[in-house]
Amino acid sequence: MSSSALLARTAAPRRAWFADLPVLAVAVVWGGSYLAAKGITTGHTVIAVLVLRFAVVLPVLAVAGWQRLRALTAGQVRGAGLLGLVLGGIFLLETYGVVHTSATNAGLIISLTMIFTPLAEAAVRRKAPSGAFLAGAAASVAGVVLLTQGAGFTVPGLGDLLILGAALARTLHVLLMARIKAVQDADSLSLTTVQFGGAVLVFAVLAAVPGTGDGPWAAAAGFGAAEWAGLAFLSVFCTLFAFFVQMWAVRRSSPSRVSLLLGTEPLWAAAAGIAIGGEHLGPAGLAGAALVLGGTAWGRRAVTG
């Protein structure tokens, strides 16, 4: 083998890892987002924090993609706006949920999206999923049952149920993206900007309703250095950085490789909750976490072949 061919063979894995590391960083910061949201949010400040989080990001996206944003058709704006309403619902469920449960539970339960989405797609196509996938789904559901039981079998808490609702809403979001024809050919930056705008509109309307908690300015006035650091982490790293890395990575890697790396998010959520947040999983919780991670990995592998 010539030296040039040998160099080419060794350079290819290096290029793959060069693209993988930023995506893995996204999975890490997403895993840490549950603990960060829990640290700066209370039941009275959920909507205010969401307004602040996206108000920081939206102008940057709008300026970065202004020309392509203006090129969107009316149909594409309507489709992206609908997706933005669903996205707003996802963030509301996730943020309210993490206030009432542990960051570890939130990160692991939300991973059920990887099971729910193929099941919903199979139902839409009227095609039964494989036995291997169903086995992985059953293991994941059993894991969530164990994970949400602290000292004995009880009804899952409100936060766990809200996070489960967020996983279902994520599934709806994915299905709508695949079925709304107008958005399928839209520029991804413009599509995301309109979606974020729709989500901010949802949060702003709710913030104006009496009894929904503190307003954004009131919440911001009560922030200390730790809260501002947490908000910056959620806005800059978990939203802006994560979006641009995904756009960059899918052009330099494969969608399946990106999906596999992002699928490690629950591991990092559990690691952050236990190592930084001081959360504790008993024997049942550890068994449940293992079943959720193993079941979702098994189900994903069955879907991708």
Side-chain angles (χ1 to χ4, degrees), residues 11 26 39 45-46 64 67 70 109-110 123-124 131 176 210 214 222 246 251-252 259 270 275-276 279 289 301:
V26 170
T45 62
V46 167
Q67 294 298 326
R70 294 178 60 188
I109 294 171
I110 203 69
V124 170
L176 286 175
D214 296 343
Q246 286 184 85
R251 289 166 172 78
R252 291 163 177 79
S259 177
I276 302 174
E279 297 174 356
R301 184 175 182 179

Side-chain angles (χ1 to χ4, degrees), residues 64-287:
W66 179 245
Q67 294 298 326
R68 286 173 287 180
L69 194 61
R70 294 178 60 188
L72 290 177
T73 66
Q76 289 171 332
V77 171
R78 285 193 298 270
L82 175 60
L83 291 171
L85 298 181
V86 178
L87 188 66
I90 293 170
F91 278 99
L92 284 168
L93 288 167
E94 284 187 358
T95 312
Y96 273 115
V98 80
V99 168
H100 296 288
T101 190
S102 67
T104 303
N105 277 21
L108 291 167
I109 294 171
I110 203 69
S111 70
L112 289 179
T113 303
M114 290 182 283
I115 294 296
F116 292 155
T117 302
L119 281 175
E121 189 176 12
V124 170
R125 294 182 176 183
R126 297 181 180 180
K127 182 180 178 180
S130 67
F133 175 81
L134 291 176
S140 298
V141 172
V144 167
V145 171
L146 287 173
L147 183 69
T148 56
Q149 307 310 308
F153 285 89
T154 59
V155 176
L158 174 63
D160 299 321
L161 295 176
L162 289 171
I163 297 295
L164 188 62
L168 292 170
R170 280 193 183 191
T171 298
L172 175 62
H173 188 261
V174 171
L175 292 180
L176 286 175
M177 286 193 69
R179 296 182 70 82
I180 299 177
K181 294 182 180 179
V183 303
Q184 292 175 5
D185 296 326
D187 171 68
S188 57
L189 175 59
S190 303
L191 178 63
T192 301
T193 304
V194 175
Q195 286 190 76
F196 282 3
V200 169
L201 180 62
V202 171
F203 307 146
V205 169
L206 290 176
V209 176
T212 54
D214 296 343
W217 298 119
F223 278 2
E227 286 78 14
W228 281 114
L231 182 66
F233 175 74
L234 290 171
S235 298
V236 177
F237 290 98
C238 300
T239 308
L240 193 61
F241 166 76
F243 168 72
F244 280 109
V245 165
Q246 286 184 85
M247 284 190 63
W248 174 83
V250 294
R251 289 166 172 78
R252 291 163 177 79
S253 185
S254 67
S256 59
R257 193 177 182 96
V258 171
S259 177
L260 183 64
L261 290 167
L262 293 179
T264 64
E265 175 191 346
L267 288 172
W268 304 112
I274 294 170
I276 302 174
E279 297 174 356
H280 175 70
L281 288 177
L286 290 171

